[in-house]
Amino acid sequence: MLFTSGIGFDANRAAELADAGLWAVCVSLDRIDKQEFEQLRNLPGAMEIAENALTVAKNAGLYVCVNCVADRSMVSEGRYRELYEKARQLDVDEFRLIEPMPCGCLANVDTDDETSPFLTPEHVREVRRFHRETNRRLKKDSQGRFPPKVCAFNEIESPELFGCAAGTRHLFIDSAGEMCPCDFTPLSFGNVTEEPVDVIWNRMSTAMKHPRRHCLVQHQTTLIRETTRERTPAPLEVSLRTAAVFPDEELPDFVRWIDT
């Protein structure tokens, strides 16, 4: 899957990637208001760029997702539901909801601060309810099309289902080729321009051991902050040392069930 803001993603690029075997494209569209989204992205025309990327991906026969980072105010005010309706109008296949994570520009924000963008347990429960209730109601429209399915990551990656599979069942490769456990965990286990993907994957999945019941970057925020203070993502040697001291956890419920 390709994650993109839509910049530089045109019909030719979409066709090339589809021919190369890409199956899905996920475009960030975090606000329904054009000006607010442009301010968030610090990019004039951000809305048009994102919508065009969704269109060309759909025309190329790719599976198309809208990705939304829903912060505390967005959930409290129910604005993520308005964005879901926009995703429906854009005829995408999937609407993804991700909560803010303590990384990047939010790496040093206090997760317990009432003014922070991080979700409270009640907000998480609300998003998880939206995931379940919306998907249960999905029906074809008059043209035989399904509305977008909802994928709320704090539902899919809950302790009761798949948990956090960072570095064990999925991976993230950044624009420089660094392979990390996920897009929120800035620990590099190698660079795909220097080593084969399978070599790096075997190294990383061995170090990360198995899926966890809880989000790694949320539960190991302090350790990861210290690890990446000098360089982001952390280099291989530092990443291996860090992974070695992560506390072990029991398997998520569903993972334990399918593995037994």
Side-chain angles (χ1 to χ4, degrees), residues 1-244:
M1 174 175 284
L2 173 70
F3 293 86
T4 179
S5 63
I7 297 175
F9 190 79
D10 56 18
N12 290 334
R13 178 60 60 84
E16 290 173 356
L17 291 171
D19 289 343
L22 183 73
W23 69 276
V25 168
C26 192
V27 180
S28 295
L29 188 58
D30 304 288
R31 297 291 185 272
I32 194 169
D33 181 79
K34 177 180 176 180
Q35 290 186 328
E36 188 179 1
F37 185 54
E38 287 185 353
Q39 291 176 347
L40 182 68
R41 290 289 168 184
N42 193 28
L43 178 67
M47 183 75 75
E48 290 82 0
I49 292 170
E51 291 182 359
N52 178 68
L54 292 167
T55 299
V56 298
K58 191 80 174 179
N59 290 341
L62 295 164
Y63 183 86
V64 182
C65 312
V66 160
N67 187 71
C68 168
V69 178
D71 60 22
R72 186 177 299 191
S73 66
M74 196 171 187
V75 176
S76 296
E77 298 166 10
R79 287 185 288 143
Y80 67 94
R81 294 176 180 268
E82 297 175 353
L83 193 55
Y84 175 77
E85 290 305 315
K86 183 175 182 65
R88 183 200 293 264
Q89 295 168 12
L90 292 168
D91 192 27
V92 304
D93 299 295
E94 185 174 314
F95 179 66
R96 294 185 159 206
L97 277 169
I98 299 177
E99 61 182 292
M101 296 290 180
C103 60
C105 295
L106 300 178
N108 296 310
V109 175
D110 185 354
T111 55
D112 295 323
D113 187 341
E114 293 183 358
T115 64
S116 80
F118 301 113
L119 302 189
T120 66
E122 179 53 40
H123 291 128
V124 171
R125 286 191 288 271
E126 161 61 20
V127 172
R128 292 184 66 181
R129 281 194 296 269
F130 177 70
H131 169 109
R132 294 191 295 268
E133 293 170 2
T134 304
N135 289 335
R136 286 170 183 158
R137 295 196 302 266
L138 292 181
K139 294 181 180 179
K140 290 182 180 179
D141 63 17
S142 58
Q143 296 178 314
R145 299 174 304 185
F146 276 105
K149 63 178 67 69
V150 174
C151 177
F153 275 61
N154 44 27
E155 169 71 7
I156 294 297
E157 298 184 347
S158 66
E160 297 83 5
L161 293 178
F162 296 99
C164 173
T168 61
R169 300 200 176 189
H170 63 77
L171 59 88
F172 173 72
I173 300 174
D174 70 14
S175 59
E178 301 292 343
M179 186 188 290
C180 302
C182 77
D183 42 342
F184 303 119
T185 307
L187 304 176
S188 174
F189 288 85
N191 192 294
V192 297
T193 67
E194 300 169 358
E195 295 181 284
V197 169
D198 60 338
V199 171
I200 305 174
W201 170 255
N202 288 335
R203 178 191 300 138
M204 179 168 66
S205 58
T206 299
M208 299 299 290
K209 298 178 183 176
H210 57 72
R212 300 166 175 275
R213 294 185 67 82
H214 303 97
C215 171
L216 182 63
V217 72
Q218 286 181 324
H219 280 251
Q220 296 300 322
T221 305
T222 301
L223 177 57
I224 293 175
R225 279 175 180 168
E226 292 300 320
T227 297
T228 58
R229 192 172 297 278
E230 295 184 4
R231 175 178 162 185
T232 302
L236 172 59
E237 297 78 10
V238 176
S239 298
L240 288 170
R241 289 200 302 269
T242 304

